[in-house]
Amino acid sequence: MPMRTHTCGEARDNHIGQTVALCGWVHARRSHGQGLLFLDLRDRFGITQIVLDQEDSPADVVERGEKLRLEDCVRVSGEIRARASVNPHLDTGRVEVVVKELALLSRSDPPPVIPGDEKGGLSAESVRMKHRYLDLRRPAMQKIVRTRHDVSRIARGYFHRNGFLEVETPILYKSTPEGAREFIVPSRNSPGTWYALPQSPQLFKQLLMVAGCDRYLQICRCFRDEDPRQDRQVEFSQIDLEMSFIEREDVIQTMEGFARELWGEVLGVETRPFPRLTYREAMDRYGIDRPDTRYGLELIDVSDLAARTEFRVFSEALAKETGAVKAIRVPGGADRLTRKITDGYSEFVKTFGAGGVPVTKVVSRDGGAALEGGIAKFVESIAAELITRVDAAPGDTILFGADTYAVCTKALGELRQRIARDLDMIPDGAWNFLWVVDFPMFMHDAEMGRFFAMHHPFTAPRRDQLDKFLSADAADIGAIESIVSDGYDLVVNGSEIGGGSIRIHQREVQAKVFSILGMTEAQAKEKFSFLLEALRYGPPPHGGIAFGLDRLIMHLCGTENIREVIAFPKTHTGQDLLTEAPSPVEKSQLDELYVASTWRG
């Protein structure tokens, strides 16, 4: 008999009476005394109950079985029979294996991480990351690993059917100013020179379009030397795509088809065609360019009404160059949002530059609706119009933001999300997808006195904006900020899962973008000579997108921690607790690379 005839997740009613061999780890043990022992045997496919019974199992097998400990690795063989007590929580819960032979393949020390404990008794995350090979044995983690594999498989299948070629691009790369801080690698063969690890394969996939690849796919590793956070790691994976001879609509339709197939195959969820919002609509209504539309709480502009009051907070805000007053209606907030809570909201929005959150409640009075409490007396003259504007009813609360447009929308956009969580307004099982389009091409930083690309410096202006872009004076901040790009983001439940754009394929357009971003011709040539050179040789119109693979898995597996969906993740400080990286290296290694350390810690 082979070492294993079946997996631990395979046995069913139709296997009853068969002799099988299973291999795995002791997941749980229950001794009933008098020579009766039940063990749960686990592998990545599932769990099967095995029985060592002095009436049906050899005496020496029972004796050795009594000595088994959690996470011992064993092989058993025996006959499958029906269980006396069915376990509805296991796929194999209707059968068990009566053990005739047992072999201890390897002994386990008492494990610091117990894969069988999934209910709050888990070790601290630092312990689990230190012993990640044990943490990965947990059924929940095995499910995540399997889902990650399935997503990659589905992606490759879908894009293969749609004519994409999978092409690998270099990991050792040229340092380029694309926004994030890079990891750099010294070259031994060219002393004093450095490679960079790619933030993304952006330039190479554009070069592949120039090369006639037509449609490109890669599931690639990317690196950014930034502080990790809950949904970001210093190294991450993305599904990277590019297409030639297309317009924005072609990319959106193709990628929407992928997302719908992915959710359908992995979760069995049928999604409708995705709605679209312009960047400006998203900011106006939700205060964020990746809005969560599973709940209401939309931002409503009431600047014109606020201008007719004598409330100083409103008048001071509206006196600013881009001043705005916006409101959020909270259904049922009169009973649920206490003074203590709304005071906390005022402190919360201060972290986003706002001064506080004026508030009032809607009450029933004289057969109609009226305002009461908070700033009610300051807005009495506009009360009826305000209630109508925000579609409020008695029992609701109205919260306000008043500042520049940017501060007002940012603060209320963040507050909106907090209110939804606090009041449990986010429905379970909902999947709200949407495309956000028509982003500004540039944003100006007044403190630094320069422009930045909203997406990246290779994003093209929207086609109807091209002449406006080419004729715009780089010194005219308003004109440059008004140019709309051909970028697009795919958002689900308030999370950006994919972002892309139509790329620049005309050399003169790319050169002007570099100029607006503050690069001299010499600097642009030094950093991007290979791209500018390639654009001389008949580049096709092209565009693409990149999906954050890790974020996709987070959504599909229902976790908010990116470390849970990566087999060997880093901590929030970028450390690998398993291998203790980063770590010092020998001075001889540095000497060979012509590198000296200045660290004096």
Side-chain angles (χ1 to χ4, degrees):
M1 181 179 287
M3 178 171 282
R4 177 169 68 175
T5 62
H6 295 73
T7 71
C8 293
E10 196 171 348
R12 299 291 190 275
D13 286 345
N14 60 306
H15 294 100
I16 291 175
Q18 295 183 18
T19 298
V20 299
L22 306 179
C23 294
W25 290 269
V26 177
H27 184 74
R29 65 190 313 278
R30 299 174 295 280
S31 178
H32 288 228
Q34 299 179 336
L36 179 61
L37 176 67
F38 293 91
L39 300 175
D40 286 345
L41 196 64
R42 182 197 73 245
D43 61 14
R44 79 171 176 91
F45 302 97
I47 295 173
T48 294
Q49 177 171 285
I50 64 174
V51 184
L52 295 97
D53 185 347
Q54 63 181 4
E55 295 184 3
D56 300 304
S57 304
D60 65 315
V61 169
V62 176
E63 183 179 353
R64 281 183 281 123
E66 290 283 1
K67 298 177 181 178
L68 291 177
R69 301 183 297 208
L70 295 182
E71 298 309 305
D72 283 348
C73 186
V74 301
R75 174 188 182 274
V76 300
S77 65
E79 183 177 311
I80 293 183
R81 72 182 183 192
R83 284 180 61 157
S85 178
V86 172
N87 183 346
H89 302 295
L90 291 179
D91 292 337
T92 60
R94 297 177 62 84
V95 298
E96 61 191 12
V97 176
V98 181
V99 178
K100 304 297 184 182
E101 298 178 3
L102 183 151
L104 176 64
L105 301 178
S106 62
R107 175 73 72 183
S108 174
D109 289 341
V113 176
I114 302 176
D117 190 350
E118 297 273 14
K119 296 182 179 180
L122 289 176
S123 304
E125 185 182 43
S126 59
V127 177
R128 291 189 285 119
M129 291 179 67
K130 173 69 175 175
H131 302 275
R132 188 63 163 181
Y133 42 83
L134 295 177
D135 194 40
L136 286 171
R137 287 183 187 176
R138 291 193 290 126
M141 294 301 295
Q142 289 289 320
K143 181 180 179 181
I144 289 172
V145 171
R146 185 167 61 251
T147 300
R148 193 176 183 106
H149 162 79
D150 287 341
V151 169
S152 296
R153 172 184 57 79
I154 293 165
R156 287 189 167 99
Y158 176 85
F159 290 113
H160 170 72
R161 296 195 308 272
N162 282 274
F164 287 76
L165 298 178
E166 187 164 2
V167 185
E168 294 178 342
T169 54
I171 292 296
L172 294 176
Y173 194 52
K174 179 181 175 68
S175 179
T176 57
E178 293 185 38
R181 184 185 294 112
E182 299 169 315
F183 288 97
I184 57 174
V185 182
S187 169
R188 178 178 59 83
N189 291 323
S190 301
T193 62
W194 303 77
Y195 299 104
L197 302 184
Q199 299 178 40
S200 77
Q202 179 62 46
L203 296 180
F204 279 106
K205 66 181 184 179
Q206 289 189 244
L207 294 177
L208 285 169
M209 297 302 100
V210 179
C213 180
D214 196 84
R215 292 191 170 198
Y216 144 91
L217 158 72
Q218 184 181 189
I219 300 177
C220 55
R221 298 293 281 170
C222 303
F223 308 86
R224 295 181 183 176
D225 188 10
E226 298 180 320
D227 294 336
R229 60 191 190 194
Q230 197 167 15
D231 65 348
R232 176 180 292 169
Q233 287 265 291
V234 294
E235 56 178 320
F236 57 95
S237 297
Q238 65 186 35
I239 303 173
D240 202 50
L241 304 140
E242 201 76 7
M243 305 167 67
S244 288
F245 304 114
I246 47 81
E247 296 179 335
R248 183 173 76 183
E249 189 63 28
D250 301 300
V251 180
I252 285 179
Q253 290 298 326
T254 301
M255 304 311 163
E256 183 171 321
F258 165 61
R260 297 178 71 184
E261 180 168 313
L262 188 62
W263 255 253
E265 189 162 337
V266 175
L267 297 181
V269 172
E270 183 176 347
T271 58
R272 300 175 181 177
F274 303 165
R276 300 181 194 182
L277 285 177
T278 66
Y279 170 83
R280 183 70 188 201
E281 288 173 326
M283 296 303 296
D284 283 346
R285 294 170 57 187
Y286 302 101
I288 195 169
D289 61 3
R290 46 177 178 79
D292 190 339
T293 59
R294 288 175 295 174
Y295 51 89
L297 302 180
E298 291 191 24
L299 282 58
I300 301 168
D301 193 291
V302 294
S303 299
D304 58 323
L305 300 180
R308 290 163 35 203
T309 73
E310 296 183 1
F311 186 38
R312 185 170 57 84
V313 172
F314 289 170
S315 59
E316 289 181 355
L318 293 172
K320 298 178 181 180
E321 184 176 355
T322 59
V325 178
K326 286 179 173 284
I328 295 177
R329 176 184 72 92
V330 182
D335 293 328
R336 304 182 68 185
L337 296 181
T338 65
R339 174 68 179 271
K340 181 179 180 180
I341 292 174
T342 56
D343 285 349
Y345 289 164
S346 283
E347 293 302 311
F348 174 73
V349 300
K350 288 178 182 179
T351 62
F352 304 103
V357 179
V359 59
T360 188
K361 297 179 181 180
V362 183
V363 297
S364 180
R365 185 181 299 159
D366 300 329
L371 300 180
E372 183 177 281
I375 66 167
K377 64 181 180 180
F378 299 106
V379 295
E380 185 176 0
S381 62
I382 62 166
E385 293 171 273
L386 178 63
I387 290 169
T388 300
R389 175 77 59 86
V390 301
D391 194 25
D396 294 348
T397 292
I398 305 174
L399 304 175
F400 299 87
D403 210 296
T404 63
Y405 176 86
V407 170
C408 179
T409 54
K410 172 67 174 175
L412 287 187
E414 296 292 339
L415 178 61
R416 170 182 181 268
Q417 297 174 78
R418 176 164 172 175
I419 294 170
R421 292 190 296 268
D422 289 350
L423 301 187
D424 196 23
M425 299 178 70
I426 305 174
D428 292 331
W431 294 106
N432 281 30
F433 291 84
L434 63 96
W435 289 99
V436 179
V437 299
D438 294 347
F439 287 82
M441 194 166 174
F442 302 98
M443 53 185 176
H444 187 262
D445 188 308
E447 290 186 7
M448 300 185 69
R450 55 162 294 191
F451 287 103
F452 289 88
M454 179 68 88
H455 267 76
H456 55 57
F458 316 109
T459 296
R462 202 173 63 192
R463 188 166 58 178
D464 64 347
Q465 301 273 300
L466 181 58
D467 290 341
K468 176 182 178 182
F469 168 74
L470 290 172
S471 62
D473 184 346
D476 188 338
I477 295 174
I480 297 299
E481 284 195 316
S482 71
I483 296 166
V484 178
S485 80
D486 225 349
Y488 36 82
D489 285 350
L490 180 56
V491 176
V492 61
N493 292 359
S495 173
E496 178 199 328
I497 58 172
S501 67
I502 300 301
R503 321 302 187 188
I504 296 168
H505 72 282
Q506 301 109 318
R507 182 183 173 93
E508 66 275 14
V509 175
Q510 187 65 75
K512 181 162 184 177
V513 168
F514 289 154
S515 176
I516 290 173
L517 296 177
M519 290 186 212
T520 65
E521 187 174 342
Q523 289 171 329
K525 186 174 182 180
E526 178 188 356
K527 294 291 186 182
F528 301 108
S529 59
F530 57 96
L531 175 65
L532 294 172
E533 180 75 8
L535 294 181
R536 294 174 55 190
Y537 299 103
H542 59 282
I545 197 170
F547 291 95
L549 178 59
D550 308 302
R551 289 186 186 177
L552 288 175
I553 308 302
M554 288 172 64
H555 283 290
L556 294 168
C557 292
T559 178
E560 295 183 354
N561 187 343
I562 196 170
R563 293 185 293 276
E564 293 293 307
V565 303
I566 297 173
F568 299 102
K570 304 289 192 295
T571 67
H572 68 281
T573 58
Q575 292 182 299
D576 180 350
L577 298 182
L578 175 64
T579 66
E580 299 183 345
S583 58
V585 298
E586 297 293 334
K587 183 177 182 300
S588 59
Q589 292 176 269
L590 297 180
D591 291 342
E592 190 175 34
L593 295 167
Y594 301 93
V595 173
S597 174
T598 60
W599 173 246
R600 296 292 182 265

